[in-house]
Amino acid sequence: MLGVVVTGLLLAGCAAPPPPASTPAVSPVVAAPDDPWVADARGIAASVPPRLLATLKQEIDRGGPEGAIAACREQAPALARAASAESGWAVRRVSLRERNPKALPDAWERGVLAEFDRIAAARGTAAPIEHAEVVATPDGKRERRYMRALPTQELCLACHGARASLSAGVTERLRTLYPADRAVDYRVGEIRGAMTLRQPIP
Ligand code: HEC
């Protein structure tokens, strides 16, 4: 389905309600696998966003969303770097409509993000959406890849909501720091991006 698939698993949170009968079919949603590497990746991917959220909230309380932009810019990559160093997984964030040009997804990530969008639209749920797969690399090796969706929440809208709704201060900061910004006009529940993890298999 996506790239060169050796083992493919598509998972969504089991807390999600079953889709109503009228919902268009989404890709197979299977039970969470017990592969230890998937659990390992899930733990790391799930631990970074709450830490970033805590910093964001703190900074918004202190200096408003405008003041929190700097924290996001520095803390997000710092937390990803720390998680990478601790875990042996390469950890970063990607988006189909990126703010930081470094957050560009590769072809495999693009396919998974499109799938996340379809699942979120069909199910309208905030339950975790994730994808784990062992993928062949161009040099004939294999690597483990894991992605976990980052849904847009109310709090995100101050910096990712409708362009016209952003404060003048936020608009100005974003224009200066991210002239090619595409990460606006999101609504609550839409997938803003994802944590993405990869690890070579020796
Ligand atoms: C205070 C403003 C602000 C808020 C609030 C905010 N973000 Fe962001 N977001 C940013 C900035 C600035 C960047 C670019 C960071 C960088 O340069 O790495 C960013 C980048 C991202 C990225 C990385 C991909 C990209 O487009 O560069 C994701 C994913 C993301 N935000 C998700 C969220 C989610 C989900 C929320 C709510 C829980 C949220 N953000 C709330 C300012 C914000």
Side-chain angles (χ1 to χ4, degrees), residues 43-67:
I44 296 156
S47 75
V48 174
R51 282 189 239 171
L52 188 55
L53 203 60
T55 309
L56 257 182
K57 281 185 177 148
Q58 212 173 50
E59 293 298 318
I60 289 174
D61 285 348
R62 197 161 33 197
E66 184 188 342

Side-chain angles (χ1 to χ4, degrees), residues 53 56 60 65 68-69 72-73 93 95 97-100 103 150-151 153 155-156 159-160 178 183 192-193:
L53 203 60
L56 257 182
I60 289 174
I69 288 174
C72 191
R73 188 176 166 84
R93 296 192 302 175
S95 174
R97 290 199 337 252
E98 76 288 349
R99 171 155 291 165
N100 189 317
L150 296 167
Q153 306 170 32
L155 171 98
C156 319
C159 301
H160 295 295
Y178 307 97
R192 173 64 269 277

Side-chain angles (χ1 to χ4, degrees), residues 103-191:
L104 261 191
D106 66 17
W108 183 86
E109 288 164 332
R110 199 166 280 282
V112 175
L113 283 166
E115 193 64 30
F116 286 177
D117 279 349
R118 278 192 289 275
I119 293 173
R123 302 178 129 225
T125 173
I129 305 174
E130 58 177 12
H131 182 97
E133 202 172 305
V134 174
V135 178
T137 60
D139 59 359
K141 298 191 171 147
R142 297 190 311 154
E143 64 179 350
R144 298 176 176 130
R145 302 199 69 169
Y146 174 91
M147 287 177 70
R148 187 176 181 91
L150 296 167
T152 307
Q153 306 170 32
E154 201 68 42
L155 171 98
C156 319
L157 300 180
C159 301
H160 295 295
R163 198 182 283 278
S165 73
L166 305 182
S167 75
V170 166
T171 303
E172 190 47 42
R173 291 293 293 151
L174 292 178
R175 207 194 336 254
T176 310
L177 294 170
Y178 307 97
D181 186 19
R182 300 169 68 212
V184 291
D185 293 330
Y186 283 90
R187 282 174 302 190
V188 170
E190 288 179 337
I191 302 304

